Each structure stands twice: as C-alpha cells, then as structure tokens.
Amino acid sequence: MVSGGFVVGAAADRLRLRFDIGYDGTDFAGWARQPGQRTVCGEIEAVLSVILREPVVLTVAGRTDAGVHATGQVAHCDVAAAALDTRSLQNDPAQLVRRTARMLPADVRIKAATVVSTDFDARFAALRRHYRYRLTDAAWGAEPVAARDTATWSRQLDVSAMNDASATLIGLHDFAAFCKRRDGATTVRDLQRFSWSRDEAGIAVAEVSADAFCWSMVRSLVGAVATVGEGRRSVQWCAGLLEETSRASAVPVAPACGLTLVGVDYPPPDQWAARGAVTRDVRDAVGCCGDARGDDVRSE
C-alpha cells in the first residue's frame, strides 16, 4: 500500500508518480533531453533512476526552452510498485523530495511527489498553463540579484498601453505571427489572460495563461506589446498581427531569462481521463506530427 493520494493494492505492479518541479533555467539547454547537453529532464531522470533503481522516463506538461525557468512545472512517470518499497522511501513517495534534494544540483528541485491514477497525464490532462514574464526598463537594467529571472528593455515602457495591446489578443485565435513554424503544427490557441502590472520594485510583470502555447509564443507576445509600450508601434498594429498567417518578422522575441512557468491547471481526478481523451483527439485531428491546441508539446 502506498500513500500519496491513491491507494495501490498489493497486486498492482506499476505506479504512476506525479512530480511538481521548479528550476532556474539559466544554465540548462531547456527541459527536453538532448545528447551532450545539460537539460532539466536529463538531470531529474538520472537522479530518479538511481533512487528508484530502474530507468525513469518523464512526461512533462510543457517543454520549456533554453533559459526559461519554472516554479510550477509538472511531470509524471511510471515505475514498478516495488521501487518505493525500500528502507529510505518506506512506500512513501513524499520521501523522494528529500532524497532528490540531496542529489540534484541546486538549480533544480522536485517540490512534491505523489502517487496518482493512470488517468493522470501531465501533458494531455492539463487544462491550461500559466506563465509570468518579468521585464525591467530601468536605465541600469535588472538588479543583480534578480538578473537571472528579469529581462531588460532598453526604452521606457507604458504599462497602460501594453495592457491595451494585450487585451486585443485575448481569446481563441491563430497566433501564427507569434510562433516559430513547425511542419504540421497548428498555431491556434486560446489565450485566456494577458495582463501587465508594475511590482513594488517597478518591474513590469506580465501574467499570461492559455490552454497551451506554441514554441516562442509567450516571448513573442511580450516583445510585440513591449514595442507598443515604448511607443514604436500602435495598439492597432498589435491587434492586426492576428491576421498574419506566418511568423511576423517585425515581432521581436523577448529574452528567455524573463520567463517562468508558474503553474499548470488540471481538472478534478474523475475528469483526468476525459480531458486526456479530448486533447488526444484534437492532436490526432491535426496529424501525427503536429501540436494540438491543448497539447503543449513545445511551449517555450
């Protein structure tokens, strides 16, 4: 029997584990494993494989790109039930938090580990992803203590104008102008939130939420509205980008360092299977090689 949200009987030989993960993406070549590159997935899989005494393969909610951070990343894996039946783990998946903290490098951490039903899928069961972008327009740039998660914009920004521009992009649209092209992939997304505010330090902070994001989409959204905020472009120009059918060269891609995945929403457990089925159906409708709305294959 295993604690952690779902009881597993003695006859069960496999478990599904959910992990809540945070990392500083500065020194990583992104989430996805890449030969010869230091990646978040590679570091975590290597440590879990040692602790659980079998090869671990993670499925993730959003494959963040090089330099992008996370405080609310979610992943899952399947392992033998016996993997938790050790002196150090004592059939308690929560013990993985302490064990991995002693073995992982300081810039990546598993913050929670729980047993879930096989209906849970970190990627396909997700309802939406939430990102935060931090952008400073201070003449001196980012404070040194915040330089790893705060990007710098060289001109003064009007946050009110940026909110006006952001509001025109909310909704279900084809975001082709903001996405790097991938053959067979749809660029239709449901952008549910895109708003800006200044924090107590004067940093311009964007909160961005959608069912899923295309590759480079968030940073392109930020870059587009920042050009409005600096007065170089109009709100109408920004809105007009939704009429484009391919990547718009006039849209700058904001630096990766300012971007953090802060959360992933899932339905209640009794709806995991249904949500996963819907997402897979949409993906299949696009094609075997495409990304689907709701299927965050490569997010940033």
Side-chain angles (χ1 to χ4, degrees):
M1 187 170 293
V2 177
S3 63
F6 287 84
V7 176
V8 179
D13 61 355
R14 302 292 290 176
L15 297 174
R16 179 156 294 184
L17 298 174
R18 167 181 167 157
F19 301 105
D20 293 84
I21 300 165
Y23 47 88
D24 177 340
T26 305
D27 299 322
F28 288 103
W31 167 272
R33 64 187 74 84
Q34 302 174 54
Q37 298 288 324
R38 182 175 186 254
T39 68
V40 181
C41 181
E43 294 281 2
I44 298 175
E45 286 181 343
V47 168
L48 286 173
S49 295
V50 170
I51 296 173
L52 297 172
R53 301 171 298 169
E54 66 171 89
V56 169
V57 177
L58 293 172
T59 296
V60 72
R63 289 167 48 185
T64 52
D65 205 356
V68 177
H69 319 294
T71 59
Q73 181 68 277
V74 180
H76 81 261
C77 71
D78 294 329
V79 298
L84 294 181
D85 187 14
T86 65
R87 179 185 300 179
S88 61
L89 298 179
Q90 300 177 344
N91 282 319
D92 181 4
Q95 294 299 321
L96 285 168
V97 175
R98 292 187 181 277
R99 288 294 309 279
T100 55
R102 291 197 292 266
M103 299 174 67
L104 286 167
D107 52 2
V108 57
R109 284 290 182 269
I110 290 177
K111 303 194 290 185
T114 54
V115 175
V116 291
S117 78
T118 54
D119 289 338
F120 178 81
D121 188 298
R123 171 181 166 191
F124 290 114
L127 292 171
R128 65 189 61 84
R129 284 85 172 167
H130 304 281
Y131 280 90
R132 180 171 296 135
Y133 197 94
R134 291 170 48 84
L135 187 62
T136 180
D137 56 356
W140 60 86
E143 290 285 356
V145 296
R148 290 171 73 95
D149 73 348
T150 305
T152 298
W153 201 262
S154 60
R155 297 180 178 86
Q156 285 288 299
L157 296 170
D158 180 344
V159 168
S160 178
M162 291 165 72
N163 271 320
D164 290 342
S166 297
T168 67
L169 303 175
I170 298 294
L172 181 65
H173 303 292
D174 187 343
F175 287 93
F178 303 90
C179 299
K180 293 182 180 178
R181 177 176 172 78
R182 297 185 68 215
D183 290 340
T186 179
T187 48
V188 175
R189 296 293 189 267
D190 183 11
L191 185 62
Q192 299 167 2
R193 181 182 183 186
F194 189 16
S195 62
W196 291 85
S197 62
R198 294 269 188 185
D199 68 10
E200 64 279 1
I203 305 299
V205 180
E207 304 291 346
V208 193
S209 302
D211 57 348
F213 293 93
C214 309
W215 187 7
S216 86
M217 179 175 162
V218 178
R219 289 187 287 142
S220 297
L221 289 169
V222 169
V225 301
T227 63
V228 176
E230 70 179 21
R232 188 154 54 96
R233 299 284 188 178
S234 69
V235 171
Q236 292 72 28
W237 170 83
C238 192
L241 291 170
L242 294 175
E243 299 176 9
E244 301 288 336
T245 57
S246 61
R247 169 76 187 166
S249 60
V251 175
V253 180
C257 65
L259 185 61
T260 301
L261 173 62
V262 297
V264 183
D265 291 346
Y266 295 93
D270 62 356
Q271 298 176 28
W272 288 342
R275 173 60 183 176
V278 168
T279 304
R280 286 183 176 88
D281 285 346
V282 174
R283 181 199 62 179
D284 291 342
V286 174
C288 65
C289 300
D291 301 350
R293 195 165 47 84
D295 177 8
D296 197 10
V297 175
R298 179 84 180 236
S299 60
E300 281 300 323

PDB file of all heavy atoms in Angstrom, residues 159-171 173 175 191-196 225 235 238-239 242:
ATOM      1  N   VAL A 159       2.980  50.848 -19.302  1.00  0.00           N
ATOM      2  CA  VAL A 159       2.267  49.617 -18.980  1.00  0.00           C
ATOM      3  C   VAL A 159       0.793  49.707 -19.354  1.00  0.00           C
ATOM      4  O   VAL A 159       0.173  48.711 -19.748  1.00  0.00           O
ATOM      5  CB  VAL A 159       2.447  49.272 -17.487  1.00  0.00           C
ATOM      6  CG1 VAL A 159       1.493  48.170 -17.052  1.00  0.00           C
ATOM      7  CG2 VAL A 159       3.884  48.840 -17.222  1.00  0.00           C
ATOM      8  N   SER A 160       0.206  50.891 -19.267  1.00  0.00           N
ATOM      9  CA  SER A 160      -1.195  51.065 -19.659  1.00  0.00           C
ATOM     10  C   SER A 160      -1.379  50.741 -21.140  1.00  0.00           C
ATOM     11  O   SER A 160      -2.324  50.038 -21.532  1.00  0.00           O
ATOM     12  CB  SER A 160      -1.652  52.493 -19.369  1.00  0.00           C
ATOM     13  OG  SER A 160      -2.999  52.684 -19.791  1.00  0.00           O
ATOM     14  N   ALA A 161      -0.476  51.246 -21.981  1.00  0.00           N
ATOM     15  CA  ALA A 161      -0.551  50.949 -23.417  1.00  0.00           C
ATOM     16  C   ALA A 161      -0.317  49.456 -23.674  1.00  0.00           C
ATOM     17  O   ALA A 161      -0.945  48.855 -24.559  1.00  0.00           O
ATOM     18  CB  ALA A 161       0.475  51.780 -24.174  1.00  0.00           C
ATOM     19  N   MET A 162       0.539  48.859 -22.891  1.00  0.00           N
ATOM     20  CA  MET A 162       0.808  47.424 -23.043  1.00  0.00           C
ATOM     21  C   MET A 162      -0.425  46.606 -22.684  1.00  0.00           C
ATOM     22  O   MET A 162      -0.734  45.603 -23.329  1.00  0.00           O
ATOM     23  CB  MET A 162       2.005  47.034 -22.188  1.00  0.00           C
ATOM     24  CG  MET A 162       3.317  47.616 -22.707  1.00  0.00           C
ATOM     25  SD  MET A 162       4.671  47.553 -21.510  1.00  0.00           S
ATOM     26  CE  MET A 162       5.038  45.801 -21.482  1.00  0.00           C
ATOM     27  N   ASN A 163      -1.151  47.032 -21.669  1.00  0.00           N
ATOM     28  CA  ASN A 163      -2.401  46.342 -21.324  1.00  0.00           C
ATOM     29  C   ASN A 163      -3.444  46.497 -22.426  1.00  0.00           C
ATOM     30  O   ASN A 163      -4.189  45.554 -22.721  1.00  0.00           O
ATOM     31  CB  ASN A 163      -2.940  46.875 -19.996  1.00  0.00           C
ATOM     32  CG  ASN A 163      -2.395  46.110 -18.807  1.00  0.00           C
ATOM     33  OD1 ASN A 163      -2.270  44.892 -18.849  1.00  0.00           O
ATOM     34  ND2 ASN A 163      -2.064  46.826 -17.745  1.00  0.00           N
ATOM     35  N   ASP A 164      -3.495  47.678 -23.032  1.00  0.00           N
ATOM     36  CA  ASP A 164      -4.433  47.882 -24.142  1.00  0.00           C
ATOM     37  C   ASP A 164      -4.112  46.942 -25.300  1.00  0.00           C
ATOM     38  O   ASP A 164      -5.006  46.334 -25.896  1.00  0.00           O
ATOM     39  CB  ASP A 164      -4.382  49.337 -24.621  1.00  0.00           C
ATOM     40  CG  ASP A 164      -4.974  50.316 -23.622  1.00  0.00           C
ATOM     41  OD1 ASP A 164      -5.728  49.867 -22.724  1.00  0.00           O
ATOM     42  OD2 ASP A 164      -4.683  51.522 -23.732  1.00  0.00           O
ATOM     43  N   ALA A 165      -2.830  46.822 -25.604  1.00  0.00           N
ATOM     44  CA  ALA A 165      -2.412  45.950 -26.701  1.00  0.00           C
ATOM     45  C   ALA A 165      -2.670  44.484 -26.357  1.00  0.00           C
ATOM     46  O   ALA A 165      -3.150  43.710 -27.189  1.00  0.00           O
ATOM     47  CB  ALA A 165      -0.938  46.182 -27.015  1.00  0.00           C
ATOM     48  N   SER A 166      -2.356  44.112 -25.126  1.00  0.00           N
ATOM     49  CA  SER A 166      -2.546  42.722 -24.699  1.00  0.00           C
ATOM     50  C   SER A 166      -4.003  42.308 -24.773  1.00  0.00           C
ATOM     51  O   SER A 166      -4.329  41.173 -25.144  1.00  0.00           O
ATOM     52  CB  SER A 166      -2.021  42.538 -23.271  1.00  0.00           C
ATOM     53  OG  SER A 166      -0.639  42.783 -23.197  1.00  0.00           O
ATOM     54  N   ALA A 167      -4.904  43.235 -24.411  1.00  0.00           N
ATOM     55  CA  ALA A 167      -6.339  42.927 -24.394  1.00  0.00           C
ATOM     56  C   ALA A 167      -6.849  42.554 -25.783  1.00  0.00           C
ATOM     57  O   ALA A 167      -7.786  41.757 -25.911  1.00  0.00           O
ATOM     58  CB  ALA A 167      -7.121  44.113 -23.840  1.00  0.00           C
ATOM     59  N   THR A 168      -6.238  43.099 -26.840  1.00  0.00           N
ATOM     60  CA  THR A 168      -6.712  42.804 -28.194  1.00  0.00           C
ATOM     61  C   THR A 168      -6.352  41.382 -28.627  1.00  0.00           C
ATOM     62  O   THR A 168      -6.883  40.887 -29.628  1.00  0.00           O
ATOM     63  CB  THR A 168      -6.109  43.787 -29.221  1.00  0.00           C
ATOM     64  OG1 THR A 168      -4.687  43.568 -29.334  1.00  0.00           O
ATOM     65  CG2 THR A 168      -6.367  45.227 -28.817  1.00  0.00           C
ATOM     66  N   LEU A 169      -5.487  40.727 -27.874  1.00  0.00           N
ATOM     67  CA  LEU A 169      -5.012  39.391 -28.253  1.00  0.00           C
ATOM     68  C   LEU A 169      -5.716  38.275 -27.494  1.00  0.00           C
ATOM     69  O   LEU A 169      -5.546  37.093 -27.818  1.00  0.00           O
ATOM     70  CB  LEU A 169      -3.500  39.296 -28.019  1.00  0.00           C
ATOM     71  CG  LEU A 169      -2.654  40.350 -28.746  1.00  0.00           C
ATOM     72  CD1 LEU A 169      -1.194  40.215 -28.340  1.00  0.00           C
ATOM     73  CD2 LEU A 169      -2.810  40.225 -30.260  1.00  0.00           C
ATOM     74  N   ILE A 170      -6.511  38.639 -26.493  1.00  0.00           N
ATOM     75  CA  ILE A 170      -7.213  37.636 -25.685  1.00  0.00           C
ATOM     76  C   ILE A 170      -8.240  36.900 -26.538  1.00  0.00           C
ATOM     77  O   ILE A 170      -8.938  37.490 -27.370  1.00  0.00           O
ATOM     78  CB  ILE A 170      -7.915  38.304 -24.484  1.00  0.00           C
ATOM     79  CG1 ILE A 170      -6.894  38.980 -23.566  1.00  0.00           C
ATOM     80  CG2 ILE A 170      -8.735  37.277 -23.700  1.00  0.00           C
ATOM     81  CD1 ILE A 170      -5.962  38.023 -22.865  1.00  0.00           C
ATOM     82  N   GLY A 171      -8.334  35.593 -26.323  1.00  0.00           N
ATOM     83  CA  GLY A 171      -9.353  34.806 -27.000  1.00  0.00           C
ATOM     84  C   GLY A 171      -8.760  33.685 -27.843  1.00  0.00           C
ATOM     85  O   GLY A 171      -7.547  33.435 -27.833  1.00  0.00           O
ATOM     86  N   HIS A 173      -7.578  32.359 -31.126  1.00  0.00           N
ATOM     87  CA  HIS A 173      -7.072  32.943 -32.366  1.00  0.00           C
ATOM     88  C   HIS A 173      -5.993  32.044 -32.966  1.00  0.00           C
ATOM     89  O   HIS A 173      -5.461  31.155 -32.295  1.00  0.00           O
ATOM     90  CB  HIS A 173      -6.441  34.322 -32.107  1.00  0.00           C
ATOM     91  CG  HIS A 173      -7.339  35.321 -31.472  1.00  0.00           C
ATOM     92  ND1 HIS A 173      -8.436  35.862 -32.110  1.00  0.00           N
ATOM     93  CD2 HIS A 173      -7.294  35.897 -30.234  1.00  0.00           C
ATOM     94  CE1 HIS A 173      -9.033  36.722 -31.301  1.00  0.00           C
ATOM     95  NE2 HIS A 173      -8.367  36.757 -30.158  1.00  0.00           N
ATOM     96  N   PHE A 175      -2.351  32.229 -33.712  1.00  0.00           N
ATOM     97  CA  PHE A 175      -1.216  33.046 -33.284  1.00  0.00           C
ATOM     98  C   PHE A 175       0.016  32.785 -34.151  1.00  0.00           C
ATOM     99  O   PHE A 175       1.148  32.834 -33.660  1.00  0.00           O
ATOM    100  CB  PHE A 175      -0.911  32.783 -31.810  1.00  0.00           C
ATOM    101  CG  PHE A 175      -1.915  33.383 -30.875  1.00  0.00           C
ATOM    102  CD1 PHE A 175      -2.998  32.638 -30.431  1.00  0.00           C
ATOM    103  CD2 PHE A 175      -1.803  34.697 -30.449  1.00  0.00           C
ATOM    104  CE1 PHE A 175      -3.943  33.186 -29.577  1.00  0.00           C
ATOM    105  CE2 PHE A 175      -2.741  35.267 -29.593  1.00  0.00           C
ATOM    106  CZ  PHE A 175      -3.815  34.506 -29.154  1.00  0.00           C
ATOM    107  N   LEU A 191      -5.902  32.109 -25.788  1.00  0.00           N
ATOM    108  CA  LEU A 191      -5.200  32.968 -24.832  1.00  0.00           C
ATOM    109  C   LEU A 191      -6.220  33.510 -23.845  1.00  0.00           C
ATOM    110  O   LEU A 191      -7.102  34.288 -24.213  1.00  0.00           O
ATOM    111  CB  LEU A 191      -4.488  34.107 -25.563  1.00  0.00           C
ATOM    112  CG  LEU A 191      -3.618  35.026 -24.712  1.00  0.00           C
ATOM    113  CD1 LEU A 191      -2.465  34.260 -24.066  1.00  0.00           C
ATOM    114  CD2 LEU A 191      -3.084  36.188 -25.550  1.00  0.00           C
ATOM    115  N   GLN A 192      -6.125  33.092 -22.595  1.00  0.00           N
ATOM    116  CA  GLN A 192      -7.155  33.384 -21.610  1.00  0.00           C
ATOM    117  C   GLN A 192      -6.815  34.558 -20.694  1.00  0.00           C
ATOM    118  O   GLN A 192      -7.707  35.179 -20.123  1.00  0.00           O
ATOM    119  CB  GLN A 192      -7.411  32.123 -20.774  1.00  0.00           C
ATOM    120  CG  GLN A 192      -7.912  30.967 -21.630  1.00  0.00           C
ATOM    121  CD  GLN A 192      -7.872  29.635 -20.923  1.00  0.00           C
ATOM    122  OE1 GLN A 192      -7.498  29.528 -19.764  1.00  0.00           O
ATOM    123  NE2 GLN A 192      -8.237  28.577 -21.631  1.00  0.00           N
ATOM    124  N   ARG A 193      -5.534  34.853 -20.571  1.00  0.00           N
ATOM    125  CA  ARG A 193      -5.126  36.001 -19.757  1.00  0.00           C
ATOM    126  C   ARG A 193      -3.826  36.553 -20.304  1.00  0.00           C
ATOM    127  O   ARG A 193      -2.920  35.807 -20.652  1.00  0.00           O
ATOM    128  CB  ARG A 193      -4.927  35.593 -18.293  1.00  0.00           C
ATOM    129  CG  ARG A 193      -4.527  36.768 -17.387  1.00  0.00           C
ATOM    130  CD  ARG A 193      -4.295  36.325 -15.961  1.00  0.00           C
ATOM    131  NE  ARG A 193      -3.984  37.459 -15.094  1.00  0.00           N
ATOM    132  CZ  ARG A 193      -3.619  37.357 -13.816  1.00  0.00           C
ATOM    133  NH1 ARG A 193      -3.532  36.167 -13.240  1.00  0.00           N
ATOM    134  NH2 ARG A 193      -3.351  38.441 -13.113  1.00  0.00           N
ATOM    135  N   PHE A 194      -3.748  37.874 -20.386  1.00  0.00           N
ATOM    136  CA  PHE A 194      -2.511  38.554 -20.758  1.00  0.00           C
ATOM    137  C   PHE A 194      -2.604  39.960 -20.200  1.00  0.00           C
ATOM    138  O   PHE A 194      -3.221  40.840 -20.781  1.00  0.00           O
ATOM    139  CB  PHE A 194      -2.340  38.568 -22.280  1.00  0.00           C
ATOM    140  CG  PHE A 194      -1.002  39.052 -22.763  1.00  0.00           C
ATOM    141  CD1 PHE A 194       0.095  39.137 -21.922  1.00  0.00           C
ATOM    142  CD2 PHE A 194      -0.832  39.422 -24.105  1.00  0.00           C
ATOM    143  CE1 PHE A 194       1.330  39.573 -22.377  1.00  0.00           C
ATOM    144  CE2 PHE A 194       0.395  39.854 -24.574  1.00  0.00           C
ATOM    145  CZ  PHE A 194       1.473  39.932 -23.708  1.00  0.00           C
ATOM    146  N   SER A 195      -2.036  40.169 -19.028  1.00  0.00           N
ATOM    147  CA  SER A 195      -2.158  41.453 -18.343  1.00  0.00           C
ATOM    148  C   SER A 195      -0.820  41.847 -17.731  1.00  0.00           C
ATOM    149  O   SER A 195       0.007  41.002 -17.400  1.00  0.00           O
ATOM    150  CB  SER A 195      -3.233  41.390 -17.260  1.00  0.00           C
ATOM    151  OG  SER A 195      -2.894  40.432 -16.266  1.00  0.00           O
ATOM    152  N   TRP A 196      -0.657  43.166 -17.568  1.00  0.00           N
ATOM    153  CA  TRP A 196       0.595  43.728 -17.061  1.00  0.00           C
ATOM    154  C   TRP A 196       0.357  44.580 -15.823  1.00  0.00           C
ATOM    155  O   TRP A 196      -0.690  45.222 -15.687  1.00  0.00           O
ATOM    156  CB  TRP A 196       1.239  44.613 -18.124  1.00  0.00           C
ATOM    157  CG  TRP A 196       1.759  43.879 -19.308  1.00  0.00           C
ATOM    158  CD1 TRP A 196       1.050  43.497 -20.417  1.00  0.00           C
ATOM    159  CD2 TRP A 196       3.098  43.434 -19.511  1.00  0.00           C
ATOM    160  NE1 TRP A 196       1.867  42.846 -21.294  1.00  0.00           N
ATOM    161  CE2 TRP A 196       3.137  42.790 -20.776  1.00  0.00           C
ATOM    162  CE3 TRP A 196       4.270  43.529 -18.764  1.00  0.00           C
ATOM    163  CZ2 TRP A 196       4.303  42.242 -21.292  1.00  0.00           C
ATOM    164  CZ3 TRP A 196       5.434  42.983 -19.292  1.00  0.00           C
ATOM    165  CH2 TRP A 196       5.445  42.343 -20.528  1.00  0.00           C
ATOM    166  N   VAL A 225       3.956  43.497 -27.558  1.00  0.00           N
ATOM    167  CA  VAL A 225       3.299  44.546 -26.770  1.00  0.00           C
ATOM    168  C   VAL A 225       4.328  45.506 -26.163  1.00  0.00           C
ATOM    169  O   VAL A 225       4.004  46.674 -25.903  1.00  0.00           O
ATOM    170  CB  VAL A 225       2.385  43.951 -25.673  1.00  0.00           C
ATOM    171  CG1 VAL A 225       1.314  43.068 -26.281  1.00  0.00           C
ATOM    172  CG2 VAL A 225       3.177  43.193 -24.634  1.00  0.00           C
ATOM    173  N   VAL A 235      -1.454  50.143 -30.837  1.00  0.00           N
ATOM    174  CA  VAL A 235      -2.306  49.037 -30.389  1.00  0.00           C
ATOM    175  C   VAL A 235      -2.934  48.350 -31.597  1.00  0.00           C
ATOM    176  O   VAL A 235      -3.041  47.117 -31.648  1.00  0.00           O
ATOM    177  CB  VAL A 235      -3.393  49.550 -29.421  1.00  0.00           C
ATOM    178  CG1 VAL A 235      -4.408  48.452 -29.118  1.00  0.00           C
ATOM    179  CG2 VAL A 235      -2.760  50.068 -28.135  1.00  0.00           C
ATOM    180  N   CYS A 238      -0.616  45.874 -33.226  1.00  0.00           N
ATOM    181  CA  CYS A 238      -0.525  44.639 -32.452  1.00  0.00           C
ATOM    182  C   CYS A 238      -1.738  43.750 -32.737  1.00  0.00           C
ATOM    183  O   CYS A 238      -1.597  42.550 -32.996  1.00  0.00           O
ATOM    184  CB  CYS A 238      -0.420  44.959 -30.968  1.00  0.00           C
ATOM    185  SG  CYS A 238       0.040  43.559 -29.934  1.00  0.00           S
ATOM    186  N   ALA A 239      -2.923  44.321 -32.698  1.00  0.00           N
ATOM    187  CA  ALA A 239      -4.140  43.560 -32.977  1.00  0.00           C
ATOM    188  C   ALA A 239      -4.119  42.982 -34.387  1.00  0.00           C
ATOM    189  O   ALA A 239      -4.578  41.858 -34.629  1.00  0.00           O
ATOM    190  CB  ALA A 239      -5.363  44.438 -32.774  1.00  0.00           C
ATOM    191  N   LEU A 242      -2.879  39.344 -35.612  1.00  0.00           N
ATOM    192  CA  LEU A 242      -3.704  38.139 -35.606  1.00  0.00           C
ATOM    193  C   LEU A 242      -4.194  37.769 -37.002  1.00  0.00           C
ATOM    194  O   LEU A 242      -4.681  36.659 -37.212  1.00  0.00           O
ATOM    195  CB  LEU A 242      -4.907  38.327 -34.667  1.00  0.00           C
ATOM    196  CG  LEU A 242      -4.576  38.463 -33.177  1.00  0.00           C
ATOM    197  CD1 LEU A 242      -5.835  38.770 -32.383  1.00  0.00           C
ATOM    198  CD2 LEU A 242      -3.902  37.195 -32.662  1.00  0.00           C
TER     199      LEU A 242
END
